[in-house]
Amino acid sequence: DIQLTQSPSFLSASVGDRVTITCRASQDISTSLAWYQQKPGKAPNLLIYAASTLQSGVPSSFSGSGSGTEFTLTISSLQPEDFATYYCQQLNSFPYTFGQGTKLEIK
Amino acid sequence: EVQLVESGGGLVQPGGSLRLSCAASGFTFRSYCMNWVRQAPGKGLEWISYISNSEIIINYADSVKGRFTISRDNAKNSLYLQMNSLRAEDTAVYYCARRDCRRGNCQFDIWGQGTLVTVSS
């Protein structure tokens, strides 16, 4: 199985900050990686697919990059609504594993 | 509106069974592969099962293999998850999710609101 390791697990930041979350895969997954945002009590919401393609309707402050085994999600300027938990997911092969999550909190 | 709505969750005793349903609307259900993902209280997301649009390919996570069965009825625009031999560790919110693939890359672009399954005596 492909393991995904996100770092950091917790991140404290302020409105207006630029933040980066990293997702490392245990083997090469090319660009078969998606990023999701989840708010408490809600279903996950797709942000980025194919490692770097912004899902329709997602603010351009979100961006993704990477290929192979190392990927990043960047939020260029944090807004109050961005404080949530973020997950990466690989869809290169079954089982479709998720990272353990990164909880982004207000400083 | 493109939508997935889960139902069928509830309280069940260890060793018991439960059948979850996911009703799809607003898109051509038979054209899409579907998945179940769960989230234990306070924990992360866990993919548990996949079914292709024509039911030819089915996959399960090791944690549910042999106990859970995924199925679909394209005529009814519905996805199902039959859960048997339930354990306390199966307690979670269960989400159905649509897999969309574009130019060789896939993602879960539509999710239901989730249904809570609690396994407890």
PDB file of all heavy atoms in Angstrom, chain A residues 31-32 36 38 42-44 46 49-50 55 87 89 91 94-96 98, chain B residues 35 39 43-45 47 50 59 95 99 102 105-109 111-112:
ATOM      1  N   THR A  31       1.435  12.239 -10.806  1.00  0.00           N
ATOM      2  CA  THR A  31       0.653  13.403 -10.341  1.00  0.00           C
ATOM      3  C   THR A  31      -0.737  12.986  -9.865  1.00  0.00           C
ATOM      4  O   THR A  31      -1.677  13.778  -9.855  1.00  0.00           O
ATOM      5  CB  THR A  31       0.531  14.461 -11.443  1.00  0.00           C
ATOM      6  OG1 THR A  31      -0.057  13.854 -12.597  1.00  0.00           O
ATOM      7  CG2 THR A  31       1.879  15.060 -11.801  1.00  0.00           C
ATOM      8  N   SER A  32      -0.872  11.733  -9.455  1.00  0.00           N
ATOM      9  CA  SER A  32      -2.180  11.214  -9.039  1.00  0.00           C
ATOM     10  C   SER A  32      -2.482  11.580  -7.580  1.00  0.00           C
ATOM     11  O   SER A  32      -2.650  10.717  -6.705  1.00  0.00           O
ATOM     12  CB  SER A  32      -2.219   9.698  -9.217  1.00  0.00           C
ATOM     13  OG  SER A  32      -2.043   9.357 -10.573  1.00  0.00           O
ATOM     14  N   TYR A  36      -7.962  17.986  -0.307  1.00  0.00           N
ATOM     15  CA  TYR A  36      -9.309  18.276   0.159  1.00  0.00           C
ATOM     16  C   TYR A  36      -9.251  19.162   1.394  1.00  0.00           C
ATOM     17  O   TYR A  36      -8.319  19.067   2.204  1.00  0.00           O
ATOM     18  CB  TYR A  36     -10.063  16.992   0.518  1.00  0.00           C
ATOM     19  CG  TYR A  36     -10.157  15.997  -0.610  1.00  0.00           C
ATOM     20  CD1 TYR A  36      -9.159  15.056  -0.807  1.00  0.00           C
ATOM     21  CD2 TYR A  36     -11.236  16.005  -1.495  1.00  0.00           C
ATOM     22  CE1 TYR A  36      -9.227  14.138  -1.858  1.00  0.00           C
ATOM     23  CE2 TYR A  36     -11.315  15.100  -2.538  1.00  0.00           C
ATOM     24  CZ  TYR A  36     -10.300  14.173  -2.710  1.00  0.00           C
ATOM     25  OH  TYR A  36     -10.373  13.279  -3.751  1.00  0.00           O
ATOM     26  N   GLN A  38     -11.615  20.081   4.789  1.00  0.00           N
ATOM     27  CA  GLN A  38     -12.769  19.631   5.559  1.00  0.00           C
ATOM     28  C   GLN A  38     -12.962  20.538   6.763  1.00  0.00           C
ATOM     29  O   GLN A  38     -12.037  20.766   7.543  1.00  0.00           O
ATOM     30  CB  GLN A  38     -12.618  18.184   6.022  1.00  0.00           C
ATOM     31  CG  GLN A  38     -13.885  17.647   6.678  1.00  0.00           C
ATOM     32  CD  GLN A  38     -13.761  16.209   7.138  1.00  0.00           C
ATOM     33  OE1 GLN A  38     -12.694  15.761   7.552  1.00  0.00           O
ATOM     34  NE2 GLN A  38     -14.858  15.466   7.065  1.00  0.00           N
ATOM     35  N   LYS A  42     -18.675  18.661   8.395  1.00  0.00           N
ATOM     36  CA  LYS A  42     -18.962  18.726   6.965  1.00  0.00           C
ATOM     37  C   LYS A  42     -18.176  17.672   6.193  1.00  0.00           C
ATOM     38  O   LYS A  42     -17.174  17.149   6.677  1.00  0.00           O
ATOM     39  CB  LYS A  42     -18.610  20.112   6.401  1.00  0.00           C
ATOM     40  CG  LYS A  42     -19.363  21.250   7.054  1.00  0.00           C
ATOM     41  CD  LYS A  42     -20.853  21.193   6.772  1.00  0.00           C
ATOM     42  CE  LYS A  42     -21.577  22.411   7.300  1.00  0.00           C
ATOM     43  NZ  LYS A  42     -23.055  22.316   7.054  1.00  0.00           N
ATOM     44  N   ALA A  43     -18.641  17.384   4.986  1.00  0.00           N
ATOM     45  CA  ALA A  43     -17.920  16.473   4.106  1.00  0.00           C
ATOM     46  C   ALA A  43     -16.676  17.163   3.550  1.00  0.00           C
ATOM     47  O   ALA A  43     -16.624  18.400   3.475  1.00  0.00           O
ATOM     48  CB  ALA A  43     -18.825  16.041   2.962  1.00  0.00           C
ATOM     49  N   PRO A  44     -15.682  16.394   3.165  1.00  0.00           N
ATOM     50  CA  PRO A  44     -14.510  16.992   2.499  1.00  0.00           C
ATOM     51  C   PRO A  44     -14.918  17.686   1.198  1.00  0.00           C
ATOM     52  O   PRO A  44     -15.904  17.317   0.561  1.00  0.00           O
ATOM     53  CB  PRO A  44     -13.624  15.781   2.215  1.00  0.00           C
ATOM     54  CG  PRO A  44     -14.058  14.751   3.198  1.00  0.00           C
ATOM     55  CD  PRO A  44     -15.534  14.957   3.358  1.00  0.00           C
ATOM     56  N   LEU A  46     -13.230  19.043  -2.503  1.00  0.00           N
ATOM     57  CA  LEU A  46     -12.072  18.954  -3.392  1.00  0.00           C
ATOM     58  C   LEU A  46     -11.515  20.341  -3.695  1.00  0.00           C
ATOM     59  O   LEU A  46     -12.251  21.238  -4.115  1.00  0.00           O
ATOM     60  CB  LEU A  46     -12.473  18.256  -4.688  1.00  0.00           C
ATOM     61  CG  LEU A  46     -11.411  18.161  -5.785  1.00  0.00           C
ATOM     62  CD1 LEU A  46     -10.266  17.253  -5.341  1.00  0.00           C
ATOM     63  CD2 LEU A  46     -12.026  17.636  -7.082  1.00  0.00           C
ATOM     64  N   TYR A  49      -6.699  18.799  -7.904  1.00  0.00           N
ATOM     65  CA  TYR A  49      -6.543  17.446  -8.410  1.00  0.00           C
ATOM     66  C   TYR A  49      -5.395  17.414  -9.397  1.00  0.00           C
ATOM     67  O   TYR A  49      -4.898  18.461  -9.823  1.00  0.00           O
ATOM     68  CB  TYR A  49      -7.837  16.909  -9.030  1.00  0.00           C
ATOM     69  CG  TYR A  49      -8.315  17.664 -10.255  1.00  0.00           C
ATOM     70  CD1 TYR A  49      -7.968  17.255 -11.536  1.00  0.00           C
ATOM     71  CD2 TYR A  49      -9.139  18.781 -10.125  1.00  0.00           C
ATOM     72  CE1 TYR A  49      -8.408  17.935 -12.652  1.00  0.00           C
ATOM     73  CE2 TYR A  49      -9.590  19.476 -11.233  1.00  0.00           C
ATOM     74  CZ  TYR A  49      -9.228  19.039 -12.500  1.00  0.00           C
ATOM     75  OH  TYR A  49      -9.671  19.720 -13.606  1.00  0.00           O
ATOM     76  N   ALA A  50      -4.960  16.211  -9.727  1.00  0.00           N
ATOM     77  CA  ALA A  50      -3.790  16.037 -10.596  1.00  0.00           C
ATOM     78  C   ALA A  50      -2.610  16.851 -10.070  1.00  0.00           C
ATOM     79  O   ALA A  50      -1.851  17.438 -10.848  1.00  0.00           O
ATOM     80  CB  ALA A  50      -4.122  16.413 -12.036  1.00  0.00           C
ATOM     81  N   GLN A  55      -9.620  22.968  -8.679  1.00  0.00           N
ATOM     82  CA  GLN A  55     -11.010  22.593  -8.931  1.00  0.00           C
ATOM     83  C   GLN A  55     -11.838  23.851  -9.186  1.00  0.00           C
ATOM     84  O   GLN A  55     -11.613  24.903  -8.568  1.00  0.00           O
ATOM     85  CB  GLN A  55     -11.568  21.811  -7.744  1.00  0.00           C
ATOM     86  CG  GLN A  55     -13.055  21.528  -7.778  1.00  0.00           C
ATOM     87  CD  GLN A  55     -13.473  20.503  -8.823  1.00  0.00           C
ATOM     88  OE1 GLN A  55     -12.700  20.140  -9.713  1.00  0.00           O
ATOM     89  NE2 GLN A  55     -14.695  20.012  -8.711  1.00  0.00           N
ATOM     90  N   TYR A  87      -6.471  17.418   3.763  1.00  0.00           N
ATOM     91  CA  TYR A  87      -6.023  16.046   3.505  1.00  0.00           C
ATOM     92  C   TYR A  87      -5.517  15.913   2.077  1.00  0.00           C
ATOM     93  O   TYR A  87      -6.125  16.461   1.144  1.00  0.00           O
ATOM     94  CB  TYR A  87      -7.169  15.049   3.670  1.00  0.00           C
ATOM     95  CG  TYR A  87      -7.728  14.925   5.061  1.00  0.00           C
ATOM     96  CD1 TYR A  87      -8.818  15.686   5.471  1.00  0.00           C
ATOM     97  CD2 TYR A  87      -7.176  14.029   5.981  1.00  0.00           C
ATOM     98  CE1 TYR A  87      -9.335  15.568   6.747  1.00  0.00           C
ATOM     99  CE2 TYR A  87      -7.691  13.899   7.257  1.00  0.00           C
ATOM    100  CZ  TYR A  87      -8.765  14.681   7.631  1.00  0.00           C
ATOM    101  OH  TYR A  87      -9.281  14.550   8.909  1.00  0.00           O
ATOM    102  N   GLN A  89      -4.670  12.908  -0.867  1.00  0.00           N
ATOM    103  CA  GLN A  89      -5.119  11.558  -1.224  1.00  0.00           C
ATOM    104  C   GLN A  89      -4.430  11.122  -2.503  1.00  0.00           C
ATOM    105  O   GLN A  89      -4.354  11.906  -3.459  1.00  0.00           O
ATOM    106  CB  GLN A  89      -6.631  11.518  -1.446  1.00  0.00           C
ATOM    107  CG  GLN A  89      -7.174  10.139  -1.790  1.00  0.00           C
ATOM    108  CD  GLN A  89      -8.549  10.186  -2.456  1.00  0.00           C
ATOM    109  OE1 GLN A  89      -8.927  11.196  -3.057  1.00  0.00           O
ATOM    110  NE2 GLN A  89      -9.300   9.107  -2.336  1.00  0.00           N
ATOM    111  N   LEU A  91      -4.529   8.628  -5.750  1.00  0.00           N
ATOM    112  CA  LEU A  91      -5.419   7.805  -6.564  1.00  0.00           C
ATOM    113  C   LEU A  91      -4.616   7.101  -7.661  1.00  0.00           C
ATOM    114  O   LEU A  91      -5.127   6.836  -8.755  1.00  0.00           O
ATOM    115  CB  LEU A  91      -6.534   8.663  -7.156  1.00  0.00           C
ATOM    116  CG  LEU A  91      -7.441   9.280  -6.104  1.00  0.00           C
ATOM    117  CD1 LEU A  91      -7.087  10.750  -5.872  1.00  0.00           C
ATOM    118  CD2 LEU A  91      -8.896   9.164  -6.523  1.00  0.00           C
ATOM    119  N   PHE A  94      -4.978   1.206  -5.812  1.00  0.00           N
ATOM    120  CA  PHE A  94      -5.753   0.814  -4.639  1.00  0.00           C
ATOM    121  C   PHE A  94      -4.819   0.214  -3.590  1.00  0.00           C
ATOM    122  O   PHE A  94      -3.855  -0.468  -3.938  1.00  0.00           O
ATOM    123  CB  PHE A  94      -6.819  -0.205  -5.032  1.00  0.00           C
ATOM    124  CG  PHE A  94      -7.903   0.371  -5.878  1.00  0.00           C
ATOM    125  CD1 PHE A  94      -7.965   0.084  -7.228  1.00  0.00           C
ATOM    126  CD2 PHE A  94      -8.870   1.215  -5.338  1.00  0.00           C
ATOM    127  CE1 PHE A  94      -8.950   0.627  -8.030  1.00  0.00           C
ATOM    128  CE2 PHE A  94      -9.868   1.759  -6.131  1.00  0.00           C
ATOM    129  CZ  PHE A  94      -9.904   1.458  -7.487  1.00  0.00           C
ATOM    130  N   PRO A  95      -5.104   0.447  -2.311  1.00  0.00           N
ATOM    131  CA  PRO A  95      -6.171   1.277  -1.753  1.00  0.00           C
ATOM    132  C   PRO A  95      -5.888   2.768  -1.891  1.00  0.00           C
ATOM    133  O   PRO A  95      -4.733   3.201  -1.765  1.00  0.00           O
ATOM    134  CB  PRO A  95      -6.190   0.852  -0.281  1.00  0.00           C
ATOM    135  CG  PRO A  95      -4.784   0.440   0.000  1.00  0.00           C
ATOM    136  CD  PRO A  95      -4.279  -0.194  -1.256  1.00  0.00           C
ATOM    137  N   TYR A  96      -6.928   3.538  -2.133  1.00  0.00           N
ATOM    138  CA  TYR A  96      -6.805   4.984  -2.298  1.00  0.00           C
ATOM    139  C   TYR A  96      -6.546   5.639  -0.942  1.00  0.00           C
ATOM    140  O   TYR A  96      -7.458   6.104  -0.286  1.00  0.00           O
ATOM    141  CB  TYR A  96      -8.097   5.547  -2.870  1.00  0.00           C
ATOM    142  CG  TYR A  96      -8.319   5.318  -4.348  1.00  0.00           C
ATOM    143  CD1 TYR A  96      -9.598   5.477  -4.889  1.00  0.00           C
ATOM    144  CD2 TYR A  96      -7.290   4.975  -5.206  1.00  0.00           C
ATOM    145  CE1 TYR A  96      -9.831   5.304  -6.245  1.00  0.00           C
ATOM    146  CE2 TYR A  96      -7.516   4.794  -6.566  1.00  0.00           C
ATOM    147  CZ  TYR A  96      -8.786   4.956  -7.082  1.00  0.00           C
ATOM    148  OH  TYR A  96      -9.011   4.777  -8.423  1.00  0.00           O
ATOM    149  N   PHE A  98      -5.325   8.193   2.147  1.00  0.00           N
ATOM    150  CA  PHE A  98      -5.302   9.598   2.521  1.00  0.00           C
ATOM    151  C   PHE A  98      -4.126   9.853   3.459  1.00  0.00           C
ATOM    152  O   PHE A  98      -3.690   8.952   4.191  1.00  0.00           O
ATOM    153  CB  PHE A  98      -6.581   9.984   3.273  1.00  0.00           C
ATOM    154  CG  PHE A  98      -7.825  10.023   2.434  1.00  0.00           C
ATOM    155  CD1 PHE A  98      -8.613   8.885   2.282  1.00  0.00           C
ATOM    156  CD2 PHE A  98      -8.230  11.196   1.814  1.00  0.00           C
ATOM    157  CE1 PHE A  98      -9.765   8.918   1.516  1.00  0.00           C
ATOM    158  CE2 PHE A  98      -9.389  11.235   1.045  1.00  0.00           C
ATOM    159  CZ  PHE A  98     -10.155  10.104   0.893  1.00  0.00           C
TER     160      PHE A  98
ATOM    161  N   ASN B  35     -17.394   5.416  -4.617  1.00  0.00           N
ATOM    162  CA  ASN B  35     -16.588   4.984  -3.477  1.00  0.00           C
ATOM    163  C   ASN B  35     -17.319   5.215  -2.164  1.00  0.00           C
ATOM    164  O   ASN B  35     -18.216   6.053  -2.084  1.00  0.00           O
ATOM    165  CB  ASN B  35     -15.287   5.796  -3.430  1.00  0.00           C
ATOM    166  CG  ASN B  35     -14.412   5.570  -4.629  1.00  0.00           C
ATOM    167  OD1 ASN B  35     -13.510   4.739  -4.616  1.00  0.00           O
ATOM    168  ND2 ASN B  35     -14.668   6.325  -5.705  1.00  0.00           N
ATOM    169  N   GLN B  39     -14.977   8.033   8.347  1.00  0.00           N
ATOM    170  CA  GLN B  39     -14.197   8.874   9.250  1.00  0.00           C
ATOM    171  C   GLN B  39     -14.644   8.583  10.682  1.00  0.00           C
ATOM    172  O   GLN B  39     -15.758   8.943  11.070  1.00  0.00           O
ATOM    173  CB  GLN B  39     -14.384  10.351   8.916  1.00  0.00           C
ATOM    174  CG  GLN B  39     -13.509  11.287   9.710  1.00  0.00           C
ATOM    175  CD  GLN B  39     -13.550  12.697   9.147  1.00  0.00           C
ATOM    176  OE1 GLN B  39     -14.580  13.177   8.682  1.00  0.00           O
ATOM    177  NE2 GLN B  39     -12.403  13.374   9.160  1.00  0.00           N
ATOM    178  N   LYS B  43     -11.034  11.420  13.947  1.00  0.00           N
ATOM    179  CA  LYS B  43      -9.928  10.837  13.177  1.00  0.00           C
ATOM    180  C   LYS B  43      -9.952  11.310  11.729  1.00  0.00           C
ATOM    181  O   LYS B  43     -10.802  12.103  11.330  1.00  0.00           O
ATOM    182  CB  LYS B  43     -10.016   9.305  13.232  1.00  0.00           C
ATOM    183  CG  LYS B  43      -9.991   8.733  14.641  1.00  0.00           C
ATOM    184  CD  LYS B  43      -8.686   9.022  15.359  1.00  0.00           C
ATOM    185  CE  LYS B  43      -8.651   8.334  16.718  1.00  0.00           C
ATOM    186  NZ  LYS B  43      -7.403   8.657  17.466  1.00  0.00           N
ATOM    187  N   GLY B  44      -9.004  10.789  10.956  1.00  0.00           N
ATOM    188  CA  GLY B  44      -8.885  11.167   9.560  1.00  0.00           C
ATOM    189  C   GLY B  44      -9.775  10.351   8.646  1.00  0.00           C
ATOM    190  O   GLY B  44     -10.579   9.520   9.081  1.00  0.00           O
ATOM    191  N   LEU B  45      -9.616  10.589   7.345  1.00  0.00           N
ATOM    192  CA  LEU B  45     -10.422   9.923   6.330  1.00  0.00           C
ATOM    193  C   LEU B  45      -9.821   8.569   5.973  1.00  0.00           C
ATOM    194  O   LEU B  45      -8.597   8.431   5.872  1.00  0.00           O
ATOM    195  CB  LEU B  45     -10.483  10.801   5.076  1.00  0.00           C
ATOM    196  CG  LEU B  45     -11.086  12.186   5.269  1.00  0.00           C
ATOM    197  CD1 LEU B  45     -10.856  13.038   4.025  1.00  0.00           C
ATOM    198  CD2 LEU B  45     -12.574  12.080   5.567  1.00  0.00           C
ATOM    199  N   TRP B  47     -10.456   5.583   3.059  1.00  0.00           N
ATOM    200  CA  TRP B  47     -11.146   4.980   1.922  1.00  0.00           C
ATOM    201  C   TRP B  47     -11.429   3.520   2.233  1.00  0.00           C
ATOM    202  O   TRP B  47     -10.541   2.813   2.728  1.00  0.00           O
ATOM    203  CB  TRP B  47     -10.278   5.093   0.669  1.00  0.00           C
ATOM    204  CG  TRP B  47     -10.817   4.302  -0.480  1.00  0.00           C
ATOM    205  CD1 TRP B  47     -11.748   4.696  -1.397  1.00  0.00           C
ATOM    206  CD2 TRP B  47     -10.493   2.945  -0.807  1.00  0.00           C
ATOM    207  NE1 TRP B  47     -12.016   3.665  -2.270  1.00  0.00           N
ATOM    208  CE2 TRP B  47     -11.253   2.585  -1.933  1.00  0.00           C
ATOM    209  CE3 TRP B  47      -9.629   2.000  -0.252  1.00  0.00           C
ATOM    210  CZ2 TRP B  47     -11.173   1.321  -2.521  1.00  0.00           C
ATOM    211  CZ3 TRP B  47      -9.542   0.740  -0.831  1.00  0.00           C
ATOM    212  CH2 TRP B  47     -10.306   0.412  -1.956  1.00  0.00           C
ATOM    213  N   TYR B  50     -14.580   0.692  -3.454  1.00  0.00           N
ATOM    214  CA  TYR B  50     -14.730   1.266  -4.801  1.00  0.00           C
ATOM    215  C   TYR B  50     -15.525   0.298  -5.665  1.00  0.00           C
ATOM    216  O   TYR B  50     -15.363  -0.930  -5.553  1.00  0.00           O
ATOM    217  CB  TYR B  50     -13.353   1.479  -5.405  1.00  0.00           C
ATOM    218  CG  TYR B  50     -13.301   1.644  -6.907  1.00  0.00           C
ATOM    219  CD1 TYR B  50     -13.311   2.908  -7.480  1.00  0.00           C
ATOM    220  CD2 TYR B  50     -13.220   0.538  -7.751  1.00  0.00           C
ATOM    221  CE1 TYR B  50     -13.241   3.071  -8.856  1.00  0.00           C
ATOM    222  CE2 TYR B  50     -13.161   0.692  -9.131  1.00  0.00           C
ATOM    223  CZ  TYR B  50     -13.157   1.960  -9.674  1.00  0.00           C
ATOM    224  OH  TYR B  50     -13.089   2.122 -11.031  1.00  0.00           O
ATOM    225  N   ASN B  59     -13.177  -3.010  -5.282  1.00  0.00           N
ATOM    226  CA  ASN B  59     -12.029  -3.062  -4.373  1.00  0.00           C
ATOM    227  C   ASN B  59     -12.450  -2.703  -2.963  1.00  0.00           C
ATOM    228  O   ASN B  59     -13.383  -1.919  -2.765  1.00  0.00           O
ATOM    229  CB  ASN B  59     -10.932  -2.095  -4.831  1.00  0.00           C
ATOM    230  CG  ASN B  59     -10.019  -2.713  -5.868  1.00  0.00           C
ATOM    231  OD1 ASN B  59      -9.180  -3.554  -5.571  1.00  0.00           O
ATOM    232  ND2 ASN B  59     -10.192  -2.293  -7.111  1.00  0.00           N
ATOM    233  N   TYR B  95     -19.223   8.249   4.182  1.00  0.00           N
ATOM    234  CA  TYR B  95     -19.499   9.115   3.053  1.00  0.00           C
ATOM    235  C   TYR B  95     -19.470   8.302   1.755  1.00  0.00           C
ATOM    236  O   TYR B  95     -18.595   7.445   1.581  1.00  0.00           O
ATOM    237  CB  TYR B  95     -18.432  10.194   2.910  1.00  0.00           C
ATOM    238  CG  TYR B  95     -18.316  11.179   4.047  1.00  0.00           C
ATOM    239  CD1 TYR B  95     -17.321  11.031   5.014  1.00  0.00           C
ATOM    240  CD2 TYR B  95     -19.159  12.271   4.138  1.00  0.00           C
ATOM    241  CE1 TYR B  95     -17.176  11.952   6.043  1.00  0.00           C
ATOM    242  CE2 TYR B  95     -19.031  13.201   5.169  1.00  0.00           C
ATOM    243  CZ  TYR B  95     -18.038  13.027   6.117  1.00  0.00           C
ATOM    244  OH  TYR B  95     -17.902  13.937   7.134  1.00  0.00           O
ATOM    245  N   ARG B  99     -16.121   9.388  -8.102  1.00  0.00           N
ATOM    246  CA  ARG B  99     -14.790   9.521  -8.679  1.00  0.00           C
ATOM    247  C   ARG B  99     -14.926  10.074 -10.094  1.00  0.00           C
ATOM    248  O   ARG B  99     -15.607   9.524 -10.932  1.00  0.00           O
ATOM    249  CB  ARG B  99     -14.064   8.177  -8.726  1.00  0.00           C
ATOM    250  CG  ARG B  99     -12.587   8.318  -9.075  1.00  0.00           C
ATOM    251  CD  ARG B  99     -11.934   6.993  -9.347  1.00  0.00           C
ATOM    252  NE  ARG B  99     -12.233   6.502 -10.688  1.00  0.00           N
ATOM    253  CZ  ARG B  99     -11.574   5.515 -11.283  1.00  0.00           C
ATOM    254  NH1 ARG B  99     -10.572   4.907 -10.654  1.00  0.00           N
ATOM    255  NH2 ARG B  99     -11.917   5.104 -12.488  1.00  0.00           N
ATOM    256  N   ARG B 102     -10.103  12.857 -15.287  1.00  0.00           N
ATOM    257  CA  ARG B 102      -9.867  13.778 -16.398  1.00  0.00           C
ATOM    258  C   ARG B 102      -8.415  13.632 -16.844  1.00  0.00           C
ATOM    259  O   ARG B 102      -7.504  13.765 -16.024  1.00  0.00           O
ATOM    260  CB  ARG B 102     -10.120  15.221 -15.982  1.00  0.00           C
ATOM    261  CG  ARG B 102     -11.473  15.465 -15.355  1.00  0.00           C
ATOM    262  CD  ARG B 102     -11.621  16.861 -14.780  1.00  0.00           C
ATOM    263  NE  ARG B 102     -12.688  16.901 -13.806  1.00  0.00           N
ATOM    264  CZ  ARG B 102     -12.979  17.971 -13.065  1.00  0.00           C
ATOM    265  NH1 ARG B 102     -12.278  19.078 -13.193  1.00  0.00           N
ATOM    266  NH2 ARG B 102     -13.957  17.930 -12.185  1.00  0.00           N
ATOM    267  N   ASN B 105      -6.072  11.531 -14.685  1.00  0.00           N
ATOM    268  CA  ASN B 105      -6.037  11.751 -13.247  1.00  0.00           C
ATOM    269  C   ASN B 105      -7.444  11.734 -12.672  1.00  0.00           C
ATOM    270  O   ASN B 105      -8.376  12.253 -13.268  1.00  0.00           O
ATOM    271  CB  ASN B 105      -5.357  13.078 -12.911  1.00  0.00           C
ATOM    272  CG  ASN B 105      -3.850  13.003 -13.048  1.00  0.00           C
ATOM    273  OD1 ASN B 105      -3.157  12.412 -12.230  1.00  0.00           O
ATOM    274  ND2 ASN B 105      -3.341  13.573 -14.129  1.00  0.00           N
ATOM    275  N   CYS B 106      -7.566  11.106 -11.522  1.00  0.00           N
ATOM    276  CA  CYS B 106      -8.878  10.958 -10.898  1.00  0.00           C
ATOM    277  C   CYS B 106      -8.922  11.662  -9.546  1.00  0.00           C
ATOM    278  O   CYS B 106      -7.889  11.888  -8.920  1.00  0.00           O
ATOM    279  CB  CYS B 106      -9.212   9.483 -10.711  1.00  0.00           C
ATOM    280  SG  CYS B 106      -9.209   8.528 -12.234  1.00  0.00           S
ATOM    281  N   GLN B 107     -10.144  11.965  -9.114  1.00  0.00           N
ATOM    282  CA  GLN B 107     -10.339  12.633  -7.835  1.00  0.00           C
ATOM    283  C   GLN B 107     -11.774  12.404  -7.398  1.00  0.00           C
ATOM    284  O   GLN B 107     -12.623  12.044  -8.202  1.00  0.00           O
ATOM    285  CB  GLN B 107     -10.046  14.138  -7.933  1.00  0.00           C
ATOM    286  CG  GLN B 107     -10.823  14.869  -8.986  1.00  0.00           C
ATOM    287  CD  GLN B 107     -10.263  14.664 -10.383  1.00  0.00           C
ATOM    288  OE1 GLN B 107      -9.064  14.407 -10.566  1.00  0.00           O
ATOM    289  NE2 GLN B 107     -11.123  14.750 -11.388  1.00  0.00           N
ATOM    290  N   PHE B 108     -12.023  12.617  -6.101  1.00  0.00           N
ATOM    291  CA  PHE B 108     -13.367  12.499  -5.562  1.00  0.00           C
ATOM    292  C   PHE B 108     -13.977  13.907  -5.558  1.00  0.00           C
ATOM    293  O   PHE B 108     -13.719  14.706  -4.662  1.00  0.00           O
ATOM    294  CB  PHE B 108     -13.333  11.926  -4.139  1.00  0.00           C
ATOM    295  CG  PHE B 108     -12.909  10.482  -4.055  1.00  0.00           C
ATOM    296  CD1 PHE B 108     -12.567   9.755  -5.180  1.00  0.00           C
ATOM    297  CD2 PHE B 108     -12.864   9.845  -2.828  1.00  0.00           C
ATOM    298  CE1 PHE B 108     -12.174   8.421  -5.096  1.00  0.00           C
ATOM    299  CE2 PHE B 108     -12.483   8.503  -2.719  1.00  0.00           C
ATOM    300  CZ  PHE B 108     -12.137   7.794  -3.855  1.00  0.00           C
ATOM    301  N   ASP B 109     -14.795  14.197  -6.569  1.00  0.00           N
ATOM    302  CA  ASP B 109     -15.240  15.569  -6.738  1.00  0.00           C
ATOM    303  C   ASP B 109     -16.590  15.878  -6.094  1.00  0.00           C
ATOM    304  O   ASP B 109     -16.904  17.038  -5.852  1.00  0.00           O
ATOM    305  CB  ASP B 109     -15.251  15.949  -8.222  1.00  0.00           C
ATOM    306  CG  ASP B 109     -16.289  15.182  -9.021  1.00  0.00           C
ATOM    307  OD1 ASP B 109     -16.668  14.067  -8.605  1.00  0.00           O
ATOM    308  OD2 ASP B 109     -16.723  15.704 -10.066  1.00  0.00           O
ATOM    309  N   TRP B 111     -19.191  14.643  -2.870  1.00  0.00           N
ATOM    310  CA  TRP B 111     -19.339  13.862  -1.643  1.00  0.00           C
ATOM    311  C   TRP B 111     -20.752  14.040  -1.085  1.00  0.00           C
ATOM    312  O   TRP B 111     -21.342  15.115  -1.212  1.00  0.00           O
ATOM    313  CB  TRP B 111     -18.352  14.341  -0.574  1.00  0.00           C
ATOM    314  CG  TRP B 111     -16.905  14.157  -0.896  1.00  0.00           C
ATOM    315  CD1 TRP B 111     -16.186  14.783  -1.892  1.00  0.00           C
ATOM    316  CD2 TRP B 111     -15.978  13.314  -0.212  1.00  0.00           C
ATOM    317  NE1 TRP B 111     -14.877  14.361  -1.862  1.00  0.00           N
ATOM    318  CE2 TRP B 111     -14.716  13.461  -0.836  1.00  0.00           C
ATOM    319  CE3 TRP B 111     -16.076  12.432   0.877  1.00  0.00           C
ATOM    320  CZ2 TRP B 111     -13.570  12.768  -0.411  1.00  0.00           C
ATOM    321  CZ3 TRP B 111     -14.936  11.768   1.307  1.00  0.00           C
ATOM    322  CH2 TRP B 111     -13.703  11.933   0.663  1.00  0.00           C
ATOM    323  N   GLY B 112     -21.245  12.995  -0.457  1.00  0.00           N
ATOM    324  CA  GLY B 112     -22.493  13.135   0.277  1.00  0.00           C
ATOM    325  C   GLY B 112     -22.237  13.811   1.614  1.00  0.00           C
ATOM    326  O   GLY B 112     -21.093  14.121   1.966  1.00  0.00           O
TER     327      GLY B 112
END
